[in-house]
Amino acid sequence: MSEPVLDYDQVLANFDPVLGLEVHVELNTASKMFCGCATGFGAEPNTQVCPVCLGLPGSLPVVNQTAVESAMRIGLALNCSIAAYSRFARKNYFYPDQPKNYQISQYDEPIAYDGYADVDVDGEVFRVEIERAHMEEDTGKSLHVGGATGRIHGASHSLLDYNRAGVPLIEIVTKPIVGAGEKAPQIARAYVAMLRDLLRALGVSDVRMEQGSLRCDANVSLMPKGSTTFGTRTETKNVNSLRSVERAIRYEMTRHAAVLTSGGSIVQETRHWHEDTGITTSGRSKEEAEDYRYFPEPDLAPVTPAAAWVEQLRATLPEPPAEKRKRLQAEWGYSDPEMRDVISVGAVEVIEETIAAGCGAQAARKWWLGELGRRASEQGVDLAEVGMTPAQVAQLQGLVEAKLVNDKLARQVIDGVLAGEGEPKEVVDARGLAVVSDDGALTAAVDEAIAANPEVAEKIRGGKVQAAGALIGQVMKAMRGQADAGRVREIILERLS
Amino acid sequence: MDQLLTTNAAQLGAAIGAGTTSSEEVTRAHLDRVEAVDDTVNAFLHVAGDEAIAQARAVDAKIAAGEKLGPLAGVPLALKDILTWTKAPTTCASRILEGWIPPYDSGVTERLLAADIVILGKTNLDEFAMGSSTENSAYGPTRNPWATDRIPGGSGGGSAAALVAFEAPLSIGTDTGGSIRQPASVTGTVGIKPTYGGVSRYGLVSLASSLDQAGPCARSVLDAALLHEVIAGHDHRDSTSIDQAVPAVVDAARNGDVSGMKIGVVRELGGEGYNPGVQQRFDEAVALLTRLGAEVVEVSCPNFDHALAAYYLIQPSETSSNLAKFDAMRFGLRIGDDGTHSAEKVMAMTRGAGFGREVKRRIILGTYALSSGYYDAYYGTAQKIRTLITADFTAAFEQCDVLVSPTTPTTAFRIGERVNDPVAMYKADLCTIPSSMAGNAAASFPIGLAPEDGLPVGLQVMAPPMADDRLYRVGAAVEAALAEQWGGPLWQQITPLTTEGAQA
């Protein structure tokens, strides 16, 4: 079902891309947007529901104050104006996982509007203008059973889980992103990454793309080079990782270009992104899309935040991620390439916490980008979920610096921590991993090595100190690695002086 | 007829509290009456006899134990079948909700039970409260006890008819465009639409969210006030509920005095198109108010002329959205679920079979009015008119304490007379719609029988938002003066239904 695409360089030679990004953020409030039900991810189906979020007759919504605060803080962090008068509106459409067959959303009176955010791509700053950020409720989930693809097509029946129905969402919509040229896909990715970091710093969302708490829809269109009239756009949904954002946009640009170059025209439609094959396929056409019949939600009063409340919330904003990174880089003394690596693997927060727990900056970077980074990518999880906390990493580094373990033993300590054997110190004790610091035992081992290698010993006595390496290796082997190589070297040189 | 049936709620409550009768005795008398006459009247969709007796016994036990209860403790009441109650089905008189037992009590139901009021059952209405005659009920029309070939008004015809069939001394209605007041008018009873936001809408199945308001229905002004006090007050589960003290309605009902009050007669609500007998009784009521010491002036509210048209855009628009949830997925009727139809088709088949003609008419009307390209012309314009109507009220209330008009242009019309003429049906709410649109308080009080047909006529009184007490002042004054004139309340002039259901 693959469609023709044009080479990316050719796309750029002939067209300018225009992007528009709609990001849905699930807030991490304890309760839902309009009722008191819990919001936890992964509960038994239909256990976090009540008359309100099931849309039972007679039930009425009540706005979650914390969600409104989160929406306002997000708006402020994106340099938006906060509306003094904002209303909810009903978006009417029938779908089984939409309990009331309308979604309470916001239409022409959003809580936050006209903002911007700066993103950094290869050291170049690009400003993304924000159109609006508005509040709405999530839908339930449909599980289509019996078909080959898990889609409704071909399914024998569907199961409905309303646990997610009514979970608060913030939709953040950009203004058209023009002038990005070849960097358009990267800018989109950097924008979503920036939002993820910002939302995490605000503490308003879990921002787990893989769990759907951060979802991106990408609008893409092309206009002939030199033109200022936007082309017909497509909206690609289901883009659920940073890498996919970049790939999906790049793919759509090449597909659009192929259609336009061959004299065709783009159909305004929804496209579905397929992570596995790296292509998009046609969804429903927008031409036959529903008329949502938006109108002000009569069950809810307007949201009219007092100026003092807005200022109070502004004062709670965290340091902007970009500024924070600059400050941290200076504090930590990382080179530009070092910092870029740290950012690209999402290690800023864990390193910050590790350093706060007493670890040196370079050591913290070494652990998180080295041993722990490797294990996180093996497990396919974020660093924060690798199974070792920043405090534990700092403790491990303390053991290394106290020469209780060496680097090789430290890796075994990590194995132990990840296996759930406790804190690094407990693992060292339980597994007997501490280096032998008893000089008597080490001296005996050194003497044995000298006796077994008289010619090497002779070279060292003769001043060829670098030959000591061979003896150190012998001793370490005899000690099964549990010795401090530096101390072994000292003893060898003492004995042969 | 058992004297317990014709005793007002305030006196029943006092007698039960004093131990001269019991709630069980009173409740049984009313259940027996329902059993005897409701085949004719059809005021009830569901009678919860066992539950009512159990409630009554619980109240009697509390009284026996010396507990101090409220003034209506132990008094039976009929609940309009659009408010949820876990002990009986809530059908909204629709096939689509047939047999649906809600898992929660409405805010109104909770307050009734907390006041130890005994709920007898659920009353009939036009399907989803859309209508002015109760003929749109999927379970057959309710008949007017004054003349059983006549409509009892609507949508709350069941709640009004139950009062003058002596099946209940109290009932709860809901009013979106007149559904408490117009039935009160044509049945010669008292019906109050409190200020919008005065009574919780939680558990009131929405017809039009911005207009719906539950309120008290009774045979006397004081009974209505006592019930008003029970059900009113802030509810955090309803965002449109007003967080203010309930107006002093009981005090006002006990001290009906209009001397010095300034009362405005709305020029636009009267004259041509009004039955002569209705106009005559209204003019007499105005003269009576003058005699009682009120200063009566004429006021003009020019935008009221557009109220009906605007209402029939706003109400159907909200309804088209509110009724979307009836889709067979989670509750209620389900048609076509035989494994051969898609969910979308099951929704369509269920809605096609489950909704009646008037409901479908308004869903189609509202869907159209909200559609892209028509929104501004219809819904948008209607909202502007709504603002102008509110402004007319504000200006009028600067001159007057209350406004008055006939409640409805005619007396009870015959069953079947207007079923094929929706606009004629809608005109029954001509006078009641403006207060619904503005959200202010309004009521209907009986002011006599029209000379030409001997059927009841109602006086509508309209008061500013949260000045509901003024309604009761006027109502109590009129009630007392007319009772003196007639030698008792209007309902004494009714020919009671015999237990065979015939008019005696």
Side-chain angles (χ1 to χ4, degrees):
Chain A
M1 213 164 113
S2 175
E3 294 172 58
V5 294
L6 207 64
D7 182 74
Y8 194 63
D9 289 336
Q10 274 180 275
V11 176
L12 296 162
N14 298 302
F15 299 100
D16 286 322
V18 178
L19 304 183
L21 299 169
E22 294 171 17
V23 172
H24 285 88
V25 185
E26 243 176 34
L27 297 180
N28 59 2
T29 50
S31 58
K32 291 186 180 180
M33 188 74 218
F34 300 113
C35 65
C37 287
T39 55
F41 181 81
E44 277 289 299
N46 297 312
T47 55
Q48 296 173 350
V49 293
C50 74
V52 176
C53 58
L54 281 177
L56 295 190
S59 65
L60 294 172
V62 175
V63 175
N64 180 335
Q65 184 84 355
T66 308
V68 175
E69 268 191 22
S70 295
M72 289 165 65
R73 292 178 72 231
I74 290 169
L76 289 168
L78 292 170
N79 304 294
C80 289
S81 300
I82 301 300
Y85 180 93
S86 160
R87 275 202 289 190
F88 287 96
R90 290 190 188 174
K91 179 180 182 179
N92 294 286
Y93 67 96
F94 280 84
Y95 202 77
D97 63 18
Q98 175 75 273
K100 303 180 293 294
N101 288 317
Y102 59 80
Q103 179 190 31
I104 305 178
S105 179
Q106 294 197 287
Y107 184 50
D108 51 357
E109 296 160 300
I111 184 82
Y113 60 96
D114 284 354
Y116 64 86
D118 290 332
V119 297
D120 191 312
V121 174
D122 298 339
E124 196 185 328
V125 173
F126 194 93
R127 175 157 291 189
V128 176
E129 307 270 354
I130 308 291
E131 169 90 26
R132 57 191 278 147
H134 75 242
M135 302 177 274
E136 61 187 29
E137 57 178 339
D138 211 339
T139 61
K141 277 182 187 166
S142 300
L143 180 65
H144 304 297
V145 185
T149 59
R151 298 214 164 190
I152 194 162
H153 186 73
S156 66
H157 62 284
S158 303
L159 299 173
L160 293 166
D161 176 7
Y162 293 103
N163 281 352
R164 200 182 66 179
V167 167
L169 288 180
I170 305 298
E171 183 176 340
I172 303 165
V173 182
T174 66
K175 288 184 180 166
I177 300 170
V178 291
E182 64 167 330
K183 282 187 180 168
Q186 286 169 277
I187 286 169
R189 176 187 181 145
Y191 167 74
V192 177
M194 177 281 302
L195 274 186
R196 186 192 61 183
D197 294 345
L198 180 70
L199 295 163
R200 190 179 285 147
L202 285 165
V204 295
S205 171
D206 299 336
V207 285
R208 301 258 185 88
M209 290 189 88
E210 75 285 1
Q211 289 184 1
S213 58
L214 184 72
R215 317 199 274 269
C216 179
D217 300 338
N219 289 282
V220 175
S221 68
L222 296 182
M223 50 188 182
K225 265 218 164 326
S227 170
T228 52
T229 309
F230 293 173
T232 304
R233 69 190 157 84
T234 55
E235 182 180 9
T236 304
K237 293 194 176 278
N238 193 29
V239 192
N240 289 334
S241 71
L242 292 178
R243 189 165 161 264
S244 297
V245 171
E246 186 172 341
R247 287 173 74 207
I249 290 172
R250 197 180 159 105
Y251 174 82
E252 274 298 281
M253 285 169 64
T254 58
R255 191 185 66 83
H256 279 218
V259 171
L260 295 170
T261 308
S262 66
S265 54
I266 297 296
V267 180
Q268 185 171 337
E269 62 181 353
T270 300
R271 307 280 301 180
H272 289 289
W273 168 248
H274 302 274
E275 180 78 51
D276 47 353
T277 50
I279 64 164
T280 67
T281 55
S282 176
R284 69 189 146 82
S285 165
K286 281 263 178 179
E287 279 169 327
E288 52 194 76
E290 293 177 71
D291 176 354
Y292 291 123
R293 292 174 284 120
Y294 280 100
F295 73 106
E297 166 57 282
D299 283 329
L300 292 171
V303 178
T304 54
W309 185 25
V310 175
E311 290 318 305
Q312 204 180 315
L313 292 178
R314 196 190 300 278
T316 69
L317 293 184
E319 189 179 8
E323 282 175 36
K324 183 177 176 180
R325 281 171 191 171
K326 267 185 210 143
R327 175 176 62 79
L328 290 177
Q329 187 183 351
E331 282 175 22
W332 297 344
Y334 290 177
S335 68
D336 286 348
E338 282 173 348
M339 194 65 191
R340 199 172 305 147
D341 289 347
V342 166
I343 291 167
S344 72
V345 300
V348 175
E349 279 80 15
V350 288
I351 288 177
E352 191 185 9
E353 287 169 38
T354 306
I355 292 170
C359 186
Q362 285 300 343
R365 190 180 63 81
K366 184 191 77 179
W367 288 118
W368 285 110
L369 268 63
E371 195 58 28
L372 292 167
R374 185 174 64 75
R375 287 166 196 254
S377 62
E378 275 170 15
Q379 295 172 37
V381 298
D382 285 350
L383 286 172
E385 280 124 45
V386 75
M388 193 153 169
T389 65
Q392 288 169 333
V393 173
Q395 191 186 98
L396 176 61
Q397 178 61 21
L399 297 175
V400 170
E401 285 171 16
K403 299 195 189 305
L404 283 168
V405 292
N406 54 29
D407 281 4
K408 189 177 161 208
L409 289 172
R411 283 198 285 277
Q412 294 182 47
V413 175
I414 292 172
D415 289 339
V417 172
L418 297 188
E421 293 168 22
E423 295 298 306
K425 271 184 195 131
E426 292 165 1
V427 174
V428 169
D429 291 345
R431 290 196 175 191
L433 295 179
V435 295
V436 177
S437 53
D438 172 0
D439 276 3
L442 287 182
T443 306
V446 167
D447 287 348
E448 227 172 85
I450 291 171
N453 299 280
E455 64 286 4
V456 178
E458 208 45 51
K459 278 185 193 162
I460 297 168
R461 280 200 188 90
K464 295 192 76 174
V465 180
Q466 63 270 37
L471 289 184
I472 294 169
Q474 291 271 325
V475 173
M476 292 300 284
K477 197 174 166 190
M479 300 303 295
R480 296 196 312 280
Q482 288 176 249
D484 175 5
R487 181 65 192 140
V488 171
R489 182 186 167 85
E490 280 172 19
I491 294 172
I492 290 169
L493 296 182
E494 272 170 33
R495 301 300 277 181
L496 298 176
S497 62
Chain B
M1 198 164 40
D2 191 330
Q3 204 201 317
L4 288 175
L5 302 176
T6 55
T7 305
N8 281 344
Q11 289 149 307
L12 284 176
I16 292 166
T20 54
T21 183
S22 68
S23 176
E24 184 175 350
E25 192 184 355
V26 173
T27 301
R28 279 194 190 283
H30 284 92
L31 289 171
D32 289 347
R33 176 70 179 173
V34 171
E35 177 72 25
V37 302
D38 210 54
D39 282 349
T40 303
V41 181
N42 197 30
F44 283 84
L45 291 177
H46 187 90
V47 179
D50 293 344
E51 179 61 29
I53 294 295
Q55 275 186 71
R57 285 181 178 162
V59 177
D60 289 335
K62 284 188 193 177
I63 290 167
E67 273 189 58
K68 194 86 188 102
L69 303 181
L72 296 177
V75 177
L77 169 144
L79 185 62
K80 191 176 181 184
D81 195 24
I82 196 167
L83 287 147
T84 61
W85 182 33
T86 57
K87 307 294 185 187
T90 296
T91 68
C92 302
S94 179
R95 290 281 171 215
I96 212 162
L97 268 183
E98 191 161 354
W100 181 63
I101 299 188
Y104 71 105
D105 284 336
S106 74
V108 167
T109 307
E110 282 179 2
R111 285 174 185 262
L112 293 172
L113 297 174
D116 297 296
I117 290 171
V118 174
I119 303 174
L120 296 172
K122 308 293 288 289
T123 56
N124 200 8
L125 63 152
D126 287 295
E127 184 178 3
F128 285 104
M130 290 178 227
S132 306
S133 67
T134 324
E135 291 165 292
N136 294 330
S137 168
Y139 305 100
T142 297
R143 291 174 183 275
N144 191 329
W146 287 87
T148 53
D149 62 338
R150 304 272 174 161
I151 59 97
S155 65
S159 287
L163 299 173
V164 278
F166 304 99
E167 296 172 287
L170 296 173
S171 60
I172 295 291
T174 64
D175 190 313
T176 303
S179 288
I180 288 174
R181 291 163 286 163
Q182 183 257 3
S185 178
V186 301
T187 58
T189 56
V190 175
I192 313 286
K193 181 196 93 74
T195 300
Y196 179 79
V199 176
S200 172
R201 288 193 299 118
Y202 190 74
L204 192 181
V205 181
S206 294
L207 164 61
S209 309
S210 73
L211 298 159
D212 297 342
Q213 185 58 220
C217 307
R219 289 190 299 261
S220 86
V221 175
L222 178 60
D223 285 0
L226 290 167
L227 184 54
H228 189 137
E229 201 166 65
V230 167
I231 61 174
H234 182 244
D235 183 347
H236 67 90
R237 296 165 301 182
D238 171 3
S239 305
T240 59
S241 166
I242 296 173
D243 193 1
Q244 279 180 33
V246 177
V249 292
V250 173
D251 283 351
R254 290 191 197 280
N255 304 299
D257 179 7
V258 293
S259 59
M261 253 186 138
K262 211 163 168 192
I263 295 178
V265 175
V266 182
R267 184 190 301 154
E268 287 75 11
L269 302 178
E272 203 188 325
Y274 289 69
N275 280 10
V278 168
Q279 192 65 49
Q280 185 188 331
R281 294 293 176 239
F282 173 71
D283 293 342
E284 288 166 11
V286 171
L288 173 66
L289 287 166
T290 311
R291 282 205 304 282
L292 293 172
E295 185 192 340
V296 176
V297 295
E298 191 183 70
V299 296
S300 176
C301 296
N303 292 293
F304 285 15
D305 287 345
H306 310 298
L308 188 72
Y311 175 86
Y312 276 99
L313 290 167
I314 291 170
Q315 182 271 319
S317 293
E318 292 187 20
T319 297
S320 70
S321 177
N322 280 333
L323 265 53
K325 64 175 61 166
F326 298 92
D327 64 358
M329 293 296 116
R330 294 164 309 286
F331 53 81
L333 185 71
R334 181 180 286 183
I335 304 285
D337 184 17
D338 56 5
T340 69
H341 299 105
S342 66
E344 193 178 35
K345 187 73 186 155
V346 168
M347 283 183 185
M349 290 170 77
T350 302
R351 289 167 68 81
F355 286 140
R357 281 166 53 91
E358 183 62 23
V359 172
K360 286 177 189 163
R361 188 192 333 269
R362 297 206 202 180
I363 289 173
I364 291 166
L365 201 61
T367 302
Y368 186 78
L370 289 176
S371 293
S372 164
Y374 299 100
Y375 179 94
D376 289 340
Y378 294 125
Y379 185 82
T381 306
Q383 288 291 11
K384 285 179 191 159
I385 290 172
R386 191 173 187 175
T387 303
L388 293 173
I389 290 167
T390 306
D392 278 358
F393 269 117
T394 305
F397 286 132
E398 277 167 16
Q399 300 173 52
C400 305
D401 298 308
V402 295
L403 304 178
V404 294
S405 76
T407 306
T408 180
T410 69
T411 55
F413 45 90
R414 285 193 173 76
I415 289 174
E417 194 177 316
R418 297 191 187 178
V419 284
N420 293 317
D421 187 349
V423 175
M425 187 71 89
Y426 298 167
K427 280 184 176 167
D429 294 333
L430 202 60
C431 309
T432 48
I433 279 174
S435 285
S436 296
M437 296 284 267
N440 57 274
S444 180
F445 301 107
I447 50 171
L449 305 178
E452 62 265 36
D453 55 16
L455 292 169
V457 176
L459 169 73
Q460 178 176 228
V461 184
M462 297 164 271
M466 292 312 272
D468 305 39
D469 52 324
R470 293 184 199 170
L471 305 175
Y472 289 94
R473 271 179 72 187
V474 176
V478 170
E479 180 185 60
L482 290 176
E484 200 174 314
Q485 191 178 311
W486 299 328
L490 182 67
W491 54 260
Q492 282 187 354
Q493 299 176 39
I494 198 169
T495 310
L497 295 167
T498 65
T499 48
E500 286 74 42
Q503 213 96 41

